[in-house]
């Protein structure tokens, strides 16, 4: 009788442990829609995705409406850089179960400072470049902060993306401070 009870207990225990193959992370994603990214990586993915899309729309507008060769050059560089950065960012977002970066982005509206308040206004090149410097500076800052992340894929993506987009900041007139190494 004892052998039968031991056999039944062993069978029940093996069934129980076999059903526990699902990891806690899988259960979190399934039931709580949790992300595998930490808070900083999550915020970076969302921020760079949203602002990168905004800069592409702004670059399209500048390419069509500006007569300045410098502005057209910055617009072309924005389109070129983000054409590779955003798909890589989307791939990482899917892998880390970060919601779609494009979801929740409001429809693009060009700022009045760039296009003018009325239909007779001329495209404002200086305002465009200032806005690019502001947005790109924030993006560069977010990407730089991820060098301290614990996820190797986040670090790699942020370093590679930063290499591709740093030039935009300088082309638009942003000043890069040189820091000495300690």
């Amino acid at each position: 009788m004892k052998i039968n009870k031991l056999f039944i207990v062993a069978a029940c225990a093996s069934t129980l442990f076999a059903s526990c193959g699902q990891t806690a992370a899988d259960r979190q994603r399934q039931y709580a829609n949790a992300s595998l990214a930490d808070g900083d990586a999550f915020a970076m993915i969302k921020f760079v995705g949203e602002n990168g899309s905004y800069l592409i729309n702004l670059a399209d507008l500048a390419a069509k409406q500006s007569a300045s060769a410098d502005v057209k050059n910055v617009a072309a560089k924005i389109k070129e850089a983000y054409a590779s950065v955003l798909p890589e960012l989307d791939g990482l977002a899917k892998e880390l179960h970060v919601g779609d970066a494009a979801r929740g982005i409001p429809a693009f509206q060009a700022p009045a400072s760039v296009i003018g308040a009325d239909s007779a206004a001329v495209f404002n090149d200086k305002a465009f470049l200032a806005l690019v410097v502001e947005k790109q500076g924030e993006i560069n800052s977010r990407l730089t902060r991820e060098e301290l992340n614990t996820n190797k894929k986040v670090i790699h993506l942020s370093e590679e993306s930063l290499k591709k987009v740093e030039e935009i900041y300088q082309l638009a007139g942003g000043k890069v401070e040189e820091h000495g190494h300690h």
Side-chain angles (χ1 to χ4, degrees):
M1 189 88 161
K2 286 186 177 185
I3 291 178
N4 286 343
K5 283 185 181 180
L6 285 173
F7 178 73
I8 292 172
V9 169
C12 289
S14 65
T15 304
L16 176 67
F17 290 128
S19 69
C20 292
Q22 188 179 31
T23 66
D26 290 338
R27 284 193 298 274
Q28 270 190 317
R29 281 195 308 279
Q30 184 178 6
Y31 299 118
N33 200 21
S35 170
L36 296 176
D38 65 5
D40 288 339
F42 187 91
M44 181 272 296
I45 290 169
K46 290 292 210 179
F47 186 84
V48 173
E50 291 171 3
N51 284 286
S53 296
Y54 180 83
L55 284 175
I56 287 176
N57 288 328
L58 194 60
D60 286 339
L61 180 71
K64 291 175 190 167
Q65 294 189 3
S66 178
S68 167
D70 289 340
V71 167
K72 289 185 184 279
N73 185 30
V74 170
K77 184 64 181 173
I78 289 170
K79 289 186 208 177
E80 174 191 329
Y82 283 102
S84 64
V85 168
L86 291 180
E88 291 171 5
L89 191 69
D90 288 341
L92 182 65
K94 285 180 179 128
E95 186 176 326
L96 296 178
H97 300 278
V98 174
D100 183 14
R103 191 177 331 135
I105 298 176
F108 175 74
Q109 290 184 321
S113 62
V114 174
I115 59 169
D118 60 16
S119 60
V122 179
F123 186 83
N124 187 336
D125 295 332
K126 287 183 181 181
F128 167 77
L129 293 173
L131 185 58
V132 170
V133 166
E134 176 190 338
K135 293 283 186 191
Q136 192 59 56
E138 292 171 357
I139 290 171
N140 291 359
S141 175
R142 290 283 179 123
L143 291 172
T144 302
R145 270 187 274 176
E146 291 309 311
E147 292 174 352
L148 303 175
N149 200 301
T150 56
N151 186 322
K152 291 185 187 315
K153 291 180 180 177
V154 171
I155 294 169
H156 179 72
L157 179 104
S158 63
E159 288 173 348
E160 292 300 312
S161 297
L162 190 58
K163 287 177 190 173
K164 294 174 184 174
V165 299
E166 271 182 323
E167 187 181 353
I168 296 168
Y169 182 74
Q170 292 174 342
L171 284 175
K175 304 291 182 225
V176 178
E177 294 179 23
E178 296 297 328
H179 295 288
H181 294 284
H182 299 283

